[in-house]
Amino acid sequence: MEVATLGLSDSTLEQTGTFLNEAAAEHARILRPVLDKYSADAEAMSSRLPPNGTLNPSNFYPDAHPTKVVRMNLTDDLAEKLRRELRIQAKIQSTITGAFFGTYFPLSTMFENSVLFIPSAKRFYDLNMDIVHHYFPQVHTAVINAFVVPAGKIPYGTHSASSIALQIPSLVEREQGFPTLYKSFHTALVPSPLERQPFVIFEEAEVDAPNLQYVYQFLQEYELDADEKADIDKALYLFLDGNLSENHLPTVRDFLMAKYWEKKYQDKPSPGYFCNSKVGDALFFDNYRAHADNTLPMSEQDRVTIDFRCFNEVKYPDGMSSGLDFIVDPRERVYQTRRKRQGIEFLLMALGYESYNEFIKLIFGKVLPINPFELMTDLQFGIYNKSKYHLLDQNLDAHYERVERLYEKIEADGEYVLPERAHAAMKTLQNS
């Protein structure tokens, strides 16, 4: 089933029968309990928020385009290998995090970390970069995100792309620190009819990327009951206060964005759309557009996906090269770099490595003082432009041979057991 030419699929977008305001409201309900994990001093919150405090709202409106269904280069054999590897990867992820599923966080085996866990992802990347360049000629960096929505589970709910820089109005005005063009090729590895919880895109909704101060100000224009008002106040305060954990920061952000869509589209319903995708069909869409819907009925079958996440070249202020430079305190930058290395090292230990340096020597021929943020992008810290050490551009055959041996063992044993050294590394991360 090799696709020999660049072209659009004959599959089309169809309505799901769901709507953005309802999907967003359900996602907000699911995310809301994260607020209970934190206390907020009433006096401090009152002084920080209006009318006593001042907000600095901003909103970015990208040059958005309609979603297209594109055919990707994908043989039957490659699709089968990807499905197998993704299901084993999901087993490793569930061992690491229990029932936790679907959110961007440092120890995920998905998002940019997929390159470590999916041997066939590199082959898919190499086969399809011509298609990516054809439909998105401005692409500078492309990464692979590969994941499974397991049977009997719901996917992560309605969300959209963001960036640390999009929270800073002066950077938004200058279009610095974030991708002004942020596209995905969300590729089906299994057929995705409506009964299989397909990927949902809210095609008629406005494409924008507001900062959370804008969202908060916008929400004040709507009727909010006392509990809603308290939740929204607390969420923004916790975000601005800077004391959210790295795992909860995106959750609180997505909670506020879900409330934004819930209210914004309550009187102008925006329908969800899906594609009854064949294997190899990709939704080429704008990541700043609201997408995903966890209100569809749960499926008795897995949904398996591989996704190109693509950015144009990101410009930074003079003297800066990534979002990490927005952290003023140099000690905090050193700490976050160490945490990034520890996170990658943990994931490598989960795959059987002794250390980060063992992996670096295997890939690059010798131990090099490579900043861990140079190996892959990092959405949390606004690192989008690839470096010369970008893993997807390296020869990863030796690494993937090790991964394949581990995967064969997992299949033979029927289970995955986290190595003791990985357990110890996780405790170090939790306590640092």
Side-chain angles (χ1 to χ4, degrees):
M1 194 184 64
E2 190 83 49
V3 178
T5 59
L6 300 174
L8 298 177
S9 169
D10 57 7
S11 301
T12 58
L13 294 181
E14 306 172 49
Q15 290 193 13
T16 60
T18 59
F19 294 90
L20 175 52
N21 63 307
E22 296 168 351
E26 173 61 12
H27 194 41
R29 184 190 67 79
I30 291 171
L31 297 180
R32 191 229 151 266
V34 72
L35 302 178
D36 296 333
K37 298 179 182 294
Y38 294 86
S39 59
D41 180 78
E43 185 176 340
M45 188 159 58
S46 176
S47 66
R48 181 65 182 87
L49 300 178
N52 300 313
T54 302
L55 297 181
N56 195 7
S58 65
N59 200 350
F60 173 65
Y61 298 91
D63 183 15
H65 299 91
T67 300
K68 297 178 180 179
V69 186
V70 174
R71 289 295 297 165
M72 305 299 278
N73 285 321
L74 186 65
T75 63
D76 291 336
D77 179 63
L78 179 56
E80 180 55 38
K81 287 179 178 177
L82 284 165
R83 287 191 291 266
R84 167 184 172 265
E85 292 161 9
L86 273 159
R87 290 186 168 113
I88 299 172
Q89 169 237 37
K91 184 175 290 190
I92 294 173
Q93 182 70 79
S94 66
T95 301
I96 293 171
T97 57
F100 193 89
F101 169 75
T103 303
Y104 183 84
F105 68 111
L107 302 186
S108 174
T109 61
M110 299 175 285
F111 299 96
E112 63 267 13
N113 296 334
S114 293
V115 64
L116 299 175
F117 288 86
I118 311 298
S120 297
K122 167 70 170 166
R123 173 66 174 154
F124 182 77
Y125 176 87
D126 291 340
L127 275 175
N128 285 286
M129 282 308 297
D130 60 336
I131 293 178
V132 170
H133 281 282
H134 176 78
Y135 287 101
F136 185 25
Q138 304 93 332
V139 64
H140 179 268
T141 304
V143 298
I144 292 289
N145 176 24
F147 60 93
V148 177
V149 179
K153 300 287 186 181
I154 62 172
Y156 192 69
T158 308
H159 60 282
S160 64
S162 187
S163 168
I164 184 174
L166 283 166
Q167 299 296 326
I168 305 170
S170 61
L171 293 176
V172 172
E173 184 178 353
R174 299 197 301 268
E175 298 189 349
Q176 293 181 328
F178 63 94
T180 57
L181 297 172
Y182 187 167
K183 310 292 185 180
S184 277
F185 293 78
H186 193 275
T187 308
L189 292 174
V190 294
S192 300
L194 188 58
E195 59 270 20
R196 203 162 181 166
Q197 282 190 322
F199 178 78
V200 176
I201 187 85
F202 294 98
E203 188 68 10
E204 297 175 21
E206 180 180 41
V207 182
D208 64 343
N211 75 355
L212 295 187
Q213 296 178 69
Y214 179 100
V215 167
Y216 179 91
Q217 182 173 280
F218 178 90
L219 288 169
Q220 305 314 302
E221 300 174 8
Y222 289 81
E223 273 192 39
L224 303 171
D225 64 36
D227 289 340
E228 277 185 307
K229 178 72 165 72
D231 287 343
I232 290 165
D233 284 354
K234 185 176 183 180
L236 182 64
Y237 173 74
L238 291 172
F239 186 87
L240 296 177
D241 191 44
N243 287 323
L244 290 168
S245 75
E246 57 193 355
N247 288 348
H248 294 152
L249 190 70
T251 307
V252 170
R253 183 257 172 193
D254 284 355
F255 167 77
L256 282 170
M257 285 299 298
K259 296 301 292 185
Y260 173 68
W261 291 313
E262 176 190 351
K263 300 301 180 183
K264 183 174 180 177
Y265 293 100
Q266 64 184 9
D267 296 322
K268 47 178 179 181
S270 177
Y273 287 83
F274 79 105
C275 175
N276 188 354
S277 300
K278 303 184 289 289
V279 174
D281 281 345
L283 267 67
F284 171 47
F285 75 98
D286 195 308
N287 236 302
Y288 290 122
R289 190 186 298 277
H291 55 274
D293 185 349
N294 59 12
T295 68
L296 296 175
M298 285 190 291
S299 173
E300 296 179 358
Q301 298 174 294
D302 295 342
R303 172 159 65 87
V304 190
T305 301
I306 189 164
D307 176 27
F308 273 103
R309 299 166 68 91
C310 307
F311 321 114
N312 66 332
E313 184 173 8
V314 175
K315 307 297 184 184
Y316 294 92
D318 291 343
M320 296 184 176
S321 60
S322 79
L324 198 66
D325 294 324
F326 300 147
I327 300 174
V328 176
D329 188 343
R331 293 170 298 179
E332 179 67 13
R333 288 200 297 273
V334 170
Y335 167 74
Q336 292 298 346
T337 301
R338 184 173 72 249
R339 289 273 294 174
K340 179 69 173 180
R341 174 171 170 143
Q342 288 174 330
I344 295 173
E345 187 165 59
F346 163 76
L347 293 173
L348 291 168
M349 287 179 174
L351 290 171
Y353 285 87
E354 294 284 342
S355 67
Y356 175 89
N357 280 340
E358 182 188 6
F359 173 76
I360 293 298
K361 184 176 181 180
L362 182 69
I363 301 304
F364 297 98
K366 59 182 178 180
V367 176
L368 298 171
I370 300 172
N371 185 313
F373 284 107
E374 294 186 80
L375 294 177
M376 53 190 78
T377 60
D378 190 291
L379 304 184
Q380 181 181 1
F381 290 103
I383 297 169
Y384 301 100
N385 295 337
K386 66 180 181 179
S387 77
K388 64 181 180 180
Y389 299 115
H390 186 59
L391 283 180
L392 278 167
D393 293 333
Q394 311 305 318
N395 183 338
L396 301 177
D397 289 352
H399 167 67
Y400 288 148
E401 287 172 8
R402 290 186 60 147
V403 174
E404 179 56 32
R405 288 196 294 272
L406 172 63
Y407 285 8
E408 288 174 354
K409 183 177 188 304
I410 292 171
E411 289 176 315
D413 295 346
E415 64 175 350
Y416 167 75
V417 178
L418 191 67
E420 283 301 320
R421 71 178 71 88
H423 269 297
M426 179 179 279
K427 288 180 181 178
T428 298
L429 276 166
Q430 291 170 338
N431 295 329
S432 64

